[in-house]
Amino acid sequence: MRKSVILLLLCLWAPCVFAQEPEKVFSPPQFFSLPDDITPEYIDTVTVPKLKLNDYWMVGVFGGVSLEKGFFNPDRYTNLYLNYPSFGISIARYATMFGVFPNMGTELGVMMDYEGYEFKEYESNGKTYRSTTDGAYSAVMRVPEAFLLSHFHAEFGDHFKGMLKIGLFGGYRIDVHRDGPAVAPEHLNGFTEHDKRWSYGVRGGLGFGLVFEPVEIHIMGMAKWGWSPYYAPDYYSPYYYRYAYPLNFNVTLGVYFHLSKRYGRSHRELRRLARETLQYEQDGDIKR
């Protein structure tokens, strides 16, 4: 009986204590305090910038070499045919897709490239042979192109990035030079009536970049598979279908300049930047 009375008195006494000192019981712990001159009215006037991860533009130029190796049917023995310079300019837009994936981008550009082929000698039955097309052992064409690429990138630290690009290209073969023992004089530096002039297909490759804001240095290895043949597939004979498509490789060095501010390389770093933005210096000014 005595214990029940004591417990009842404690239950009646506790609310009285809480009511007398509400701040000690119910107030949440205070982890920080603002300077005296930071009033609620002042806070209402502060605009905190909304940062977006890897959301920026850049423009640059690139140059390098082009390696040609045509894709033939029937199969022929071909060399990698080196031509240079291959050069161009492009603009890239990085953004976060769906607000979740910060590794996406789009690249639009133009470049001067090459297409062509060079047949190599081969032996058969003790004899040496070399294929020709229109009497030529080799042919090289200059091709101004425009391209649109999806640009995937992954950041590794503050100054290194890996890149994957894939997309489409289109161009026009503006001139040609052929070498061979039986090339007609008018075709040494001119197109035939069965040559195709338009070029288009798919382009893609891998590379890496060195980042020293606001400048990036890109080293890329790209492959190009043309979908427009060098010449009409059935021009030689209506009874035998033969074709030749461009298969090219490019190695380029590019220098790009940021057109807008680049914030963060990962969600973790973006959170750090946000915390720094909201921190106050001892004099009451916001760090920018």
Side-chain angles (χ1 to χ4, degrees), residues 46-97:
V46 175
T47 300
V48 178
K50 184 179 180 181
L51 305 181
K52 294 183 178 180
L53 180 62
N54 276 330
D55 192 298
Y56 63 101
W57 293 81
M58 65 180 177
V59 64
V61 296
F62 59 89
V65 299
S66 179
L67 294 167
E68 279 61 66
K69 186 176 178 65
F71 179 72
F72 288 84
N73 180 58
D75 191 23
R76 302 193 187 187
Y77 298 97
T78 57
N79 292 314
L80 281 173
Y81 195 7
L82 177 66
N83 291 284
Y84 60 88
S86 180
F87 56 91
I89 183 172
S90 68
I91 184 168
R93 169 74 162 92
Y94 283 173
T96 300
M97 180 176 286

Side-chain angles (χ1 to χ4, degrees), residues 58-283:
M58 65 180 177
V59 64
V61 296
F62 59 89
V65 299
S66 179
L67 294 167
E68 279 61 66
K69 186 176 178 65
F71 179 72
F72 288 84
N73 180 58
D75 191 23
R76 302 193 187 187
Y77 298 97
T78 57
N79 292 314
L80 281 173
Y81 195 7
L82 177 66
N83 291 284
Y84 60 88
S86 180
F87 56 91
I89 183 172
S90 68
I91 184 168
R93 169 74 162 92
Y94 283 173
T96 300
M97 180 176 286
F98 308 126
V100 177
F101 306 104
N103 308 102
M104 314 295 291
T106 302
E107 185 174 358
L108 176 66
V110 294
M111 66 180 296
M112 178 65 73
D113 201 10
Y114 298 87
E115 293 178 357
Y117 50 86
E118 182 180 62
F119 301 120
K120 64 182 179 181
E121 295 181 346
Y122 64 94
E123 292 187 1
S124 179
N125 297 325
K127 296 183 179 180
T128 300
Y129 299 91
R130 193 176 186 183
S131 300
T132 62
T133 294
D134 294 322
Y137 290 147
S138 65
V140 58
M141 291 156 270
R142 287 193 307 155
V143 189
E145 297 175 358
F147 57 83
L148 178 63
L149 306 175
S150 293
H151 190 140
F152 304 90
H153 60 101
E155 317 297 325
F156 303 97
D158 292 335
H159 303 293
F160 187 83
K161 66 192 298 187
M163 293 175 289
L164 167 65
K165 303 180 183 181
I166 187 167
L168 302 175
F169 77 90
Y172 189 75
R173 297 160 185 154
I174 59 175
D175 57 34
V176 61
H177 176 72
R178 309 176 203 266
D179 284 321
V183 183
E186 64 272 21
H187 295 153
L188 281 173
N189 296 291
F191 290 96
T192 68
E193 62 277 4
H194 50 261
D195 284 334
K196 299 286 188 179
R197 303 292 295 273
W198 289 102
S199 178
Y200 52 87
V202 63
R203 177 187 291 276
L206 298 170
F208 66 90
L210 302 176
V211 183
F212 303 95
E213 296 187 54
V215 176
E216 297 187 13
I217 300 173
H218 292 185
I219 298 176
M220 293 296 304
M222 302 286 287
K224 182 180 79 173
W225 179 25
W227 294 342
S228 176
Y230 294 126
Y231 45 75
D234 56 353
Y235 87 91
Y236 186 74
S237 169
Y239 306 105
Y240 187 75
Y241 189 82
R242 68 176 189 172
Y243 54 80
Y245 288 90
L247 180 60
N248 293 24
F249 305 93
N250 296 96
V251 179
T252 60
L253 172 68
V255 178
Y256 287 80
F257 183 80
H258 295 177
L259 298 178
S260 55
K261 181 64 177 176
R262 174 184 187 231
Y263 290 105
R265 271 67 75 185
S266 66
H267 286 290
R268 179 179 180 182
E269 184 175 359
L270 194 59
R271 287 192 295 268
R272 179 182 61 80
L273 291 173
R275 286 194 298 269
E276 291 179 355
T277 303
L278 295 175
Q279 285 180 345
Y280 289 89
E281 295 180 347
Q282 292 182 353
D283 59 4

